Amino acid sequence: MKLSSLFRPMDLLVGSVNAVVVISWSLVQWELRVEDTQGLNEDLGWIMMAVSVVVLFFRSAFPLAVTLVILAATLVYYPASSTDGPMLSAFVISLYTLAALGRLVAASVIAASTFVIIVVSEVIANFAHMTQSETLMLGGWIVAVPAIGAVVAHHRRYRAETLVALEETRRRSVAEERIRIARDLHDAVGHHLSLINVQTAAALRKLRKDPAYRTEEVLEIVAETTRLSLRELRAMVGVLREAGEDPPTGPGPSLDQLPSLADAARASGLEVELRVDGSTEPPAAVDAAAYRVVQEALTNVLRHARASRVHVTVVIGTSTLALAVVDDGKGDAKGANLAGNGLTGMRERAEGLGGTFNAGPREDGGFAVEAAWPLEVPK
């Protein structure tokens, strides 16, 4: 066992103070010949005092053993010595330590046993050393010591549990933030990359058929899509900046950006019909979540549906925001449910704000994504 685990700073301080008080007080009484009754063995009394003073330094490392040793030394000291010094202080400190370290049962048993020993010994001696009231008062204080230690132990345990709970909350918050960033990266950057992929693939097909095909328009669309992707990427990475750095600039995702989103999809050859009804301004969280759902739904249409037309409808009421993205695709509906396509993220964005989400193939063909949010965001 390391020396630091045997001698803790507080144990050294308490042990030193106790040693100075007990020894100096006892020496003063001895020199002044302040004696209660004749002791049975003075040398043995001084030895027991030395034992109790020394072992108290180990009170935290061996609380039960120290308490028992000091109790035994105290029980031997008082009959052996004619000097009635503050020898009992070491026992009180060790008993308190035992209870404060969580050994409440052991501390209670020792305190009760000590109380019985004190009362019985004084009754047998016909209260020669203390009056009846002093005996009961001393016994009561000894019984109260474990209770005080138990209160301290409970406070320490509560504080430790609180720190663990706070740490767990912090870790959970970090994990949730990582999931949110990953979802945003998937929805935003993944959408733009899908558009770039569709545009460049179409341009390559046309170039193979017609080497004279001019790609300026396609390159302009790719450049604009890349610019939007980089802007959103910088905004999301901005949350990882060190404290004190400037926050990211630029507007966050919003339903106001749906026209640009629809134009980008149209540039990929998809016929997009966009309709937004309602003038109520939704909460920022709902606004961003609704935009991301539409964005990811259009990405799925471009990647999986083999659709020629898609209808995007957003209705903002007084208490609810609802949207639907419906396509006429002929692709495999199962592909829209594969891991990585963003349906899980869309559902999380809806249900995480108290909303609902549904997605699946339609009876007359195509695929539909529907989501709704209350405008009062749950806290």
Side-chain angles (χ1 to χ4, degrees):
M1 184 176 291
K2 295 181 179 180
L3 188 62
S4 59
S5 62
L6 289 175
F7 297 99
R8 300 182 182 180
M10 185 56 67
D11 291 349
L12 291 174
L13 176 61
V14 173
S16 299
V17 171
N18 176 74
V20 170
V21 171
V22 171
I23 295 175
S24 61
W25 192 327
S26 299
L27 287 174
V28 169
Q29 284 188 315
W30 177 263
E31 289 297 327
L32 296 178
R33 297 296 188 270
V34 179
E35 301 177 353
D36 278 353
T37 58
Q38 183 63 38
L40 300 178
N41 189 324
E42 297 294 342
D43 292 337
L44 180 60
W46 286 105
I47 292 173
M48 292 298 100
M49 178 189 298
V51 169
S52 69
V53 166
V54 172
V55 298
L56 189 63
F57 285 94
F58 302 90
R59 65 189 183 104
S60 294
F62 309 101
L64 180 57
V66 168
T67 304
L68 293 174
V69 170
I70 293 179
L71 174 60
T74 303
L75 293 177
V76 173
Y77 170 82
Y78 280 105
S81 176
S82 59
T83 303
D84 188 12
M87 173 73 174
L88 197 61
S89 62
F91 173 66
V92 171
I93 294 172
S94 64
L95 186 61
Y96 159 80
T97 303
L98 184 63
L101 292 178
R103 308 287 293 274
L104 184 59
V105 174
S108 300
V109 171
I110 293 174
S113 301
T114 305
F115 176 79
V116 171
I117 292 172
I118 292 174
V119 173
V120 171
S121 62
E122 287 299 318
V123 169
I124 294 175
N126 197 23
F127 298 98
H129 305 94
M130 296 182 290
T131 64
Q132 295 181 6
S133 59
E134 289 174 341
T135 301
L136 293 177
M137 185 177 296
L138 177 61
W141 273 109
I142 291 177
V143 172
V145 168
I148 299 173
V151 172
V152 174
H154 174 75
H155 173 71
R156 290 175 177 172
R157 184 167 55 252
Y158 171 77
R159 185 174 59 182
E161 291 174 353
T162 301
L163 291 176
V164 170
L166 289 175
E167 178 63 18
E168 182 63 27
T169 301
R170 186 193 67 80
R171 292 180 180 177
R172 191 182 304 112
S173 298
V174 171
E176 291 175 354
E177 185 66 11
R178 291 176 62 184
I179 293 174
R180 186 191 68 79
I181 293 173
R183 188 167 55 226
D184 284 346
L185 285 171
H186 177 276
D187 292 352
V189 180
H191 170 78
H192 294 311
L193 291 177
S194 295
L195 291 179
I196 292 172
N197 179 65
V198 171
Q199 290 288 343
T200 53
L204 286 173
R205 286 196 299 269
K206 291 180 180 180
L207 278 173
R208 292 190 184 100
K209 294 180 180 179
D210 180 11
Y213 172 71
R214 299 181 63 84
T215 60
E216 289 88 347
E217 182 179 355
V218 173
L219 291 176
E220 288 177 358
I221 295 173
V222 170
E224 175 64 16
T225 304
T226 304
R227 185 184 66 81
L228 293 175
S229 178
L230 289 173
R231 187 186 69 183
E232 292 208 28
L233 182 60
R234 282 194 296 268
M236 285 182 285
V237 173
V239 301
L240 302 178
R241 291 176 179 269
E242 294 292 337
E245 294 189 19
D246 295 333
T249 59
S254 168
L255 292 175
D256 294 337
Q257 301 171 18
L258 285 183
S260 298
L261 192 64
D263 290 340
R266 293 188 186 104
S268 300
L270 183 65
E271 183 178 340
V272 181
E273 180 180 334
L274 174 63
R275 178 183 175 184
V276 179
D277 294 332
S279 57
T280 303
E281 184 176 351
V286 173
D287 195 14
Y291 173 84
R292 292 300 191 197
V293 169
V294 174
Q295 183 183 55
E296 184 58 33
L298 288 177
T299 300
N300 281 349
V301 172
L302 290 170
R303 294 176 59 187
H304 303 293
R306 299 204 300 270
S308 59
R309 178 180 300 175
V310 61
H311 295 270
V312 179
T313 304
V314 180
V315 178
I316 307 174
T318 57
S319 60
T320 305
L321 186 153
L323 64 83
V325 180
V326 182
D327 66 66
D328 62 351
K330 302 177 180 61
D332 185 3
K334 295 180 179 178
N337 290 292
L338 293 175
N341 64 11
L343 282 185
T344 300
M346 287 189 279
R347 183 179 301 278
E348 290 174 350
R349 290 187 183 279
E351 296 178 352
L353 296 174
T356 59
F357 177 81
N358 291 290
R362 299 188 302 158
E363 293 182 359
D364 55 349
F367 198 85
V369 172
E370 298 174 339
W373 292 265
L375 296 185
E376 286 291 334
V377 180
K379 297 182 180 180

